[in-house]
Amino acid sequence: MKKNDIILAAAIFLFAGLLSAIIFFSGNERGSFVTVTIDKKVYGTYSLGENQDITIDTEFGHNVLHIENGSVSMTEADCPDGYCKRQGKISTEKETIVCLPHKLVVEIRGTNTDDGQTEEQTDGQTDEDYDILVK
Amino acid sequence: MNNFISMSKKISACGLLVALAMIFSYIETLIPINMGLPGMKLGIANLVIVTALYLLGPREALLISLVRIFLVGFLFGSGMSILYSLAGGLVSFLAMMFLKRTEKFSIVGASLLGGAMHNVGQLLVAAAVVENAKIFYYLPPLLCVGCVTGILVGLLALRILPMGQKIIQNAGTL
């Protein structure tokens, strides 16, 4: 074991730390729409405002998305690994749920179409005020 | 030192290490560390690859790595899983070979970079499959996990390496 090994490890951790800091401080706006993409094509866009279950059946497999109180989670999936079900609830624009075996990506969008109004001040956003955001 | 090993000894050593790497891959599937992070695993099969890299050389290590990926993929995986392992395995191998070439790092350094780069390779394939750059949000945790498991594997390899060298020496003089 050499000193360079430790420097290398520290560099990787530092890089990962910086990257996660950037991710942590960006894209924290709560979205109001959720877009499902399957095999690079948009499958559908749904409002986060209403609580609903979205069943997705394609040639790749079966998934069920659960929307409740402005956050989305994957509740059913017949993929072999089931990682998507463990990715938990997502509600901010930077978060995704990915089901790689089904080539499925769930993204949160601020507006229905891209690059509409950009994010306003988001200081006072607490976890409870999604009702206001959703309107 | 490699000159001491005849061709047949080298082939049998490679075969042995492929078998070992396959067993490690299988053991890994039995250890569930599923934290919702795709591609997160212990990477103990890399113990064989990194040891082979230092013990036998880059060509042998690459051969063992490729044979292992295809055999394990065909036995337990699918076409997609071969693609992911292949990307991870190749990127990780290139990184480890490069570090060994510089001679500024020990086997621990090679192993930890290999572990981190393995995950980078897999993420690249994943991003290409779904054509979505947001997948790279998984990069920081995967880098850290790869680095930590890489260090553990590297420390093990550091202990194993002298034993392997001894075996090769004995085999050469037998």
Side-chain angles (χ1 to χ4, degrees):
Chain A
M1 185 122 164
K2 291 181 185 173
K3 213 175 100 187
N4 282 337
D5 298 340
I6 298 162
I7 295 171
L8 178 67
I12 294 177
F13 282 122
L14 197 70
F15 178 69
L18 273 175
L19 220 59
S20 34
I22 294 168
I23 293 171
F24 183 78
F25 288 112
S26 66
N28 284 322
E29 298 80 29
R30 276 181 171 276
S32 39
F33 288 94
V34 56
T35 303
V36 180
T37 315
I38 296 172
D39 197 18
K40 303 160 196 170
K41 288 185 275 289
V42 175
Y43 178 85
T45 301
Y46 309 92
S47 168
L48 280 175
E50 48 184 300
N51 297 349
Q52 55 181 324
D53 279 305
I54 300 155
T55 309
I56 302 158
D57 282 300
T58 61
E59 51 184 306
F60 299 107
H62 168 80
N63 295 74
V64 175
L65 275 178
H66 182 64
I67 300 178
E68 194 184 341
N69 297 334
S71 40
V72 192
S73 57
M74 186 79 79
T75 44
E76 268 178 54
D78 63 353
C79 52
D81 50 25
Y83 288 136
C84 48
K85 283 187 281 185
R86 290 170 185 259
Q87 285 170 21
K89 287 183 187 173
I90 62 167
S91 56
T92 59
E93 283 178 36
K94 69 176 166 192
E95 291 176 298
T96 54
I97 296 177
V98 183
C99 184
L100 275 181
H102 294 172
K103 300 186 180 180
L104 187 152
V105 182
V106 181
E107 285 171 88
I108 306 282
R109 290 275 162 82
T111 45
N112 199 347
T113 49
D114 298 5
D115 57 85
Q117 88 260 45
T118 38
E119 57 283 343
E120 293 90 68
Q121 78 291 12
T122 48
D123 315 344
Q125 74 160 48
T126 50
D127 282 356
E128 278 78 46
D129 54 22
Y130 34 69
D131 301 315
I132 310 152
L133 272 158
V134 163
K135 32 184 159 250
Chain B
M1 193 185 300
N2 283 349
N3 305 338
F4 287 107
I5 328 172
S6 64
M7 198 63 188
S8 55
K9 275 176 183 160
K10 213 166 201 175
I11 291 170
S12 59
C14 285
L16 212 72
L17 290 174
V18 167
L20 194 60
M22 284 179 69
I23 292 169
F24 281 163
S25 303
Y26 178 66
I27 289 174
E28 214 163 59
T29 62
L30 299 178
I31 306 170
I33 42 160
N34 190 335
M35 286 170 59
L37 282 174
M40 185 183 147
K41 52 183 174 183
L42 283 172
I44 32 180
N46 197 38
L47 178 59
V48 177
I49 311 302
V50 77
T51 311
L53 178 66
Y54 277 75
L55 217 53
L56 301 171
R59 271 191 307 166
E60 288 76 7
L62 181 63
L63 184 77
I64 293 167
S65 177
L66 290 178
V67 171
R68 185 217 124 218
I69 287 166
F70 280 107
L71 285 179
V72 169
F74 283 127
L75 282 173
F76 310 115
S78 61
M80 265 336 256
S81 72
I82 293 178
L83 193 61
Y84 284 110
S85 331
L86 208 55
L90 284 179
V91 174
S92 139
F93 176 79
L94 288 176
M96 294 195 293
M97 195 179 71
F98 172 74
L99 275 206
K100 185 178 179 260
R101 281 258 175 90
T102 63
E103 291 182 350
K104 289 193 172 74
F105 299 87
S106 79
I107 197 167
V108 183
S111 172
L112 77 89
L113 187 69
M117 292 313 278
H118 181 269
N119 292 339
V120 172
Q122 292 204 318
L123 266 190
L124 284 172
V125 175
V129 165
V130 297
E131 279 188 5
N132 193 321
K134 277 190 182 174
I135 272 214
F136 285 103
Y137 286 140
Y138 294 106
L139 186 60
L142 280 177
L143 272 181
C144 293
V145 169
C147 199
V148 169
T149 58
I151 289 171
L152 296 178
V153 163
L155 289 174
L156 263 176
L158 197 64
R159 300 290 295 273
I160 291 169
L161 201 57
M163 302 179 205
Q165 277 160 346
K166 212 177 231 173
I167 293 171
I168 287 180
Q169 254 167 355
N170 289 341
T173 50
L174 267 176

